[in-house]
Structures are given as C-alpha cells and as structure tokens.
Amino acid sequence: MPVCSGGKEDACTNGMKLISRYHKDQAKALRAWFEWNEPSKEIESTNLDPSSCSRQNKEQEAGKQQSQTNKRKEAFDPALSALLFEDRIFTLPNNADLVFGKALPDSVDLVMDRKDLPKENWQFFENCPHANPWILPVDRFDPALGALKENKDPVRTHILMNTSMIDEKWCRPALKPLIAPEDEVCVLAFSFFDDTKTLADWNKQYKKGQGIWYRSNTDVFFWYGLKENQVHWVNYFTDDVIKMQDAIRNSNILLLTGGAPDLMMKRIREKKLKKVLKDYQGLIIGYSAGAMVQLADYHITPDEDYPEFSWQKGIGWLEDFDVEVHYHHSRIQKDGMNQAYSAKPKPIYAIEEQGGMIVAPDGTKSFFGKVERFDQNHSDYDL
C-alpha cells in the first residue's frame, strides 16, 4: 500500500472515524482506500447452513461477493491515494482549516481522535510514510451532522505562572483539570539569553541528561500521568522551520519557558512562527517570560537583566490586562506598575512566586496562589 506497509494496514484504521461527504476526487479515493483496507468493511456473508445451502445459492453468493470486490478494486486508485496521503489529508488540532479550508457540506474529512486509538496503533501510524496523523478536536466534530463545525474562534486556555514546578502541591488542584495523561506537550525553549550562542550552549540548558532546565520542564508532567515521550522539545539550533511548526501543531499543550521575553519574541519572528502560534488551539502554559509573551503588550520592570523600563510586543493572545511577574512587593516593581498603568490603564496582575492565573477560552479569569490585581483602586497606585 502507498501508506502502510509490512502487512499492518489494519492498524492504521483501527479506532478512526470516517466522515464521508462525496465530492472531490481525493475524497473518493480516501473512502475507497479505507473500504479496501478496513477489515470491518468485508462483505457480509449470508451465513447459510452449508448442509441446506444449494450449490446454486453458494455460486450466487460467491458471484455477489466477487462483483462487489471488483467494484471496490475499480474505485481504489493507488496513485491518487498516494498523492492523497503525501498531502497529509488528516486533521490536526491547530491547523485543520489550513489543510481543508473552510468546511463545506460536499467535502470529505478523516476525523481521528487520539483517545479512540490504541497507543500501539498510534505509534505505528506515526511511522507510516507520508501519513502523519493530524487529529481534529472533538469540540469541532458534530456527529449528528457528520461534519466539521466552523471554527470561528480558536479554543485556547492560558496558564500564566513564574515557576515550571507545576507538580507542587500548591498548584496541583488548579491545574489537574486541565492536563490529561494522553496530552502531547511541545516545549518552545526560545527564551534563553544572548550568552547562549551555540548548540553546545543550548544543550547545557535544555538537552536531556545535560541541560539544567530539562527535568524541571519535563518530569513535572509525570504527576499528571504523562510519559517522557509525550514531551517534545523544539530545538532552536537544529530543527528547521517546518519541523518546528509541526511540533507546535501536533501538540495540545504548548509550554513557553522562562528567561528573556524580548529575545523569545525575536526568535519567534526569526523562525516565522508567529502565525502558527496565533492560530494555536489547546492549553498554553507560560512561566515568567513565557507568561509575558502571551500578551499583546507587556512591560518590563527594571531588574538585574533589564536596567530600564520598557514596553514590548508579545504574541497577542491576551489583550485586556498586563502582568508583573516574580512579584515580591518591591518599590521598583510598584513604580513599574504605576508607570505601566499610567501609559496603558488596564489591570495588571502581580503574580508572586507561588501564584498563577488561568484564562479560559471565553476570557474568564481565575487565580491560584498569591496574585494581586493592580489598578487605580490598589493601595499602591500613584505612589
């Protein structure tokens, strides 16, 4: 077969949901491929007792099966199916519309839910040439219509914190409902400072077995039931742009590391990742710098790394508030918040080390640990 080899074609179809809406040639080829390779599509037998079944009935039944088999063979076009799978006509949580365009009533899509596919088959499917599985989120599938729902607004949940230690007791109750054992995590470690200039430098920070930040951004997911092979790191120095984009799109948790927020944004623009990030759907977790860049605009209060106050542009997912990270009630932080609020009068959430906030897809905000809201009603306003 053009997609799966080694006599394991059935592994690729087990657990999938096929929504058939006949129109395009590729859609017909896709349906034909699955009818030809799906064991459950075998022609049903009449199940007559051989002792009472006449030779004529047997011949008729055999002829009927052969006729239907021939029709299925005629419908299956290997060349067209190969093209179909090379174009990867599978859906992914974050860019289904890029593949299919706007869902139309006469189009066809293959919908596959990771939760419905046994892990061993999922691993096999990932190894099928030209057939990377792209999964459609359940909330965009309407089983009553057998169609995709139009995705008017991306579905995202945001977590903003200071620390990567999400397995600590103080934050578990807030985060546990948001992280599932079957999730796939993409770690976008672009926030390193300018003294990281080479792959060797990067490895000292993030590589497994060597990097000082590897375990604190990987092992912390184990408490939630994830395994190490479900946490995927984007390597700024070795991965090409396509690989980076695929890593982001194939995840449903995006982790933005702490460090230098302005340099993180510089590298995101350099690698042309801003659009794929803007379109992202799923759970976004950001620590410190990774919390700041989730905003449209964020301020930097002077500290040991940044000697001057400044405004910076973020990815732009969140627009109606600002944050002060690593808040410890210092005078310089209070002055920074006053300066920021006077320039852009919107709430500033001051997040202490053991503090965090969650922004739901509808914009609703909730808080855990120690977080203060700074505005004109705060006691430290306009000191």
Side-chain angles (χ1 to χ4, degrees):
M1 301 299 349
V3 177
C4 300
S5 59
K8 296 183 178 179
E9 290 86 353
D10 58 325
C12 289
T13 55
N14 185 13
M16 296 185 190
K17 303 170 184 176
L18 183 63
I19 294 84
S20 300
R21 288 173 291 180
Y22 319 94
H23 176 65
K24 303 175 183 176
D25 289 339
Q26 284 192 327
K28 293 177 182 178
L30 179 63
R31 178 175 172 81
W33 190 90
F34 276 94
E35 286 187 341
W36 181 243
N37 292 284
E38 171 61 72
S40 64
K41 298 291 184 181
E42 292 296 329
I43 306 300
E44 295 183 1
S45 172
T46 55
N47 293 322
L48 293 177
D49 184 346
S51 62
S52 60
C53 181
S54 67
R55 180 176 181 179
Q56 183 180 5
N57 285 340
K58 290 181 180 179
E59 291 176 349
Q60 289 177 347
E61 180 63 23
K64 179 181 177 181
Q65 291 191 32
Q66 185 60 47
S67 175
Q68 293 189 37
T69 298
N70 290 340
K71 288 181 179 180
R72 287 160 60 192
K73 282 185 177 180
E74 292 170 3
F76 174 64
D77 182 342
L80 193 53
S81 291
L83 175 63
L84 183 77
F85 288 109
E86 286 172 4
D87 290 342
R88 300 196 297 186
I89 194 165
F90 293 89
T91 60
L92 167 93
N94 311 311
N95 74 341
D97 293 338
L98 297 180
V99 179
F100 295 105
K102 185 177 179 181
L104 300 174
D106 57 356
S107 64
V108 65
D109 307 310
L110 175 67
V111 178
M112 183 169 60
D113 189 343
R114 180 186 297 271
K115 295 178 182 178
D116 293 341
L117 193 62
K119 186 65 176 178
E120 61 273 15
N121 292 343
W122 178 257
Q123 292 297 328
F124 173 75
F125 203 91
E126 287 182 331
N127 296 327
C128 292
H130 311 304
N132 294 347
W134 295 2
I135 308 93
L136 187 76
V138 174
D139 57 11
R140 286 202 54 206
F141 173 59
D142 186 340
L145 299 176
L148 297 180
K149 298 177 183 177
E150 184 176 353
N151 187 25
K152 295 181 179 178
D153 298 302
V155 179
R156 283 189 296 266
T157 300
H158 298 264
I159 298 173
L160 296 85
M161 300 175 60
N162 288 313
T163 173
S164 64
M165 305 311 290
I166 58 173
D167 58 349
E168 293 185 345
K169 290 183 178 179
W170 69 271
C171 59
R172 287 179 191 172
L175 304 185
K176 191 174 189 304
L178 303 176
I179 303 174
E182 64 272 13
D183 286 337
E184 298 286 330
V185 181
C186 172
V187 183
L188 192 63
F190 277 19
S191 56
F192 47 88
F193 286 89
D194 274 336
D195 56 355
T196 299
K197 300 181 182 300
T198 66
L199 175 60
D201 295 334
W202 191 91
N203 288 342
K204 291 177 182 178
Q205 295 195 57
Y206 304 118
K207 184 179 180 180
K208 179 181 178 180
Q210 183 177 349
I212 58 175
W213 303 115
Y214 177 81
R215 296 193 63 181
S216 61
N217 287 283
T218 301
D219 296 12
V220 290
F221 286 99
F222 298 168
W223 186 85
Y224 297 90
L226 282 76
K227 306 299 183 185
E228 189 171 14
N229 62 4
Q230 292 170 257
V231 182
H232 313 279
W233 287 71
V234 172
N235 191 313
Y236 172 82
F237 289 96
T238 62
D239 294 344
D240 61 34
V241 173
I242 298 301
K243 186 173 181 179
M244 291 179 180
Q245 291 176 344
D246 283 349
I248 294 168
R249 290 168 174 161
N250 277 307
S251 70
N252 54 354
I253 296 180
L254 175 63
L255 174 57
L256 305 174
T257 55
D262 55 340
L263 295 178
M264 173 179 264
M265 288 305 306
K266 177 184 176 181
R267 294 169 186 129
I268 286 172
R269 290 189 291 268
E270 173 196 337
K271 299 297 184 179
K272 297 180 173 56
L273 297 178
K274 190 167 182 181
K275 186 179 188 307
V276 70
L277 290 172
K278 281 283 286 184
D279 293 339
Y280 188 81
Q281 297 186 71
L283 177 64
I284 300 169
I285 305 175
Y287 310 132
S288 188
M292 298 163 76
V293 299
Q294 296 182 51
L295 309 179
D297 301 286
Y298 63 90
H299 76 275
I300 297 179
T301 295
D303 61 15
E304 60 272 18
D305 296 312
Y306 295 90
E308 297 180 354
F309 178 95
S310 67
W311 280 101
Q312 303 288 337
K313 292 288 185 182
I315 295 170
W317 289 309
L318 305 169
E319 300 182 351
D320 62 340
F321 66 93
D322 190 9
V323 294
E324 179 75 28
V325 296
H326 301 290
Y327 184 57
H328 52 274
H329 301 268
S330 72
R331 180 58 184 262
I332 194 168
Q333 288 178 316
K334 294 174 183 179
D335 288 343
M337 289 192 293
N338 270 289
Q339 185 173 348
Y341 191 81
S342 64
K344 300 182 180 183
K346 51 188 175 182
I348 301 172
Y349 294 103
I351 305 173
E352 298 191 26
E353 290 307 311
Q354 289 195 353
M357 63 183 295
I358 298 169
V359 183
D362 64 359
T364 303
K365 301 173 184 65
S366 58
F367 305 88
F368 53 98
K370 297 179 180 180
V371 181
E372 289 187 16
R373 175 185 168 118
F374 182 92
D375 56 20
Q376 72 273 16
N377 298 314
H378 194 277
S379 59
D380 292 323
Y381 171 67
D382 200 22
L383 289 173

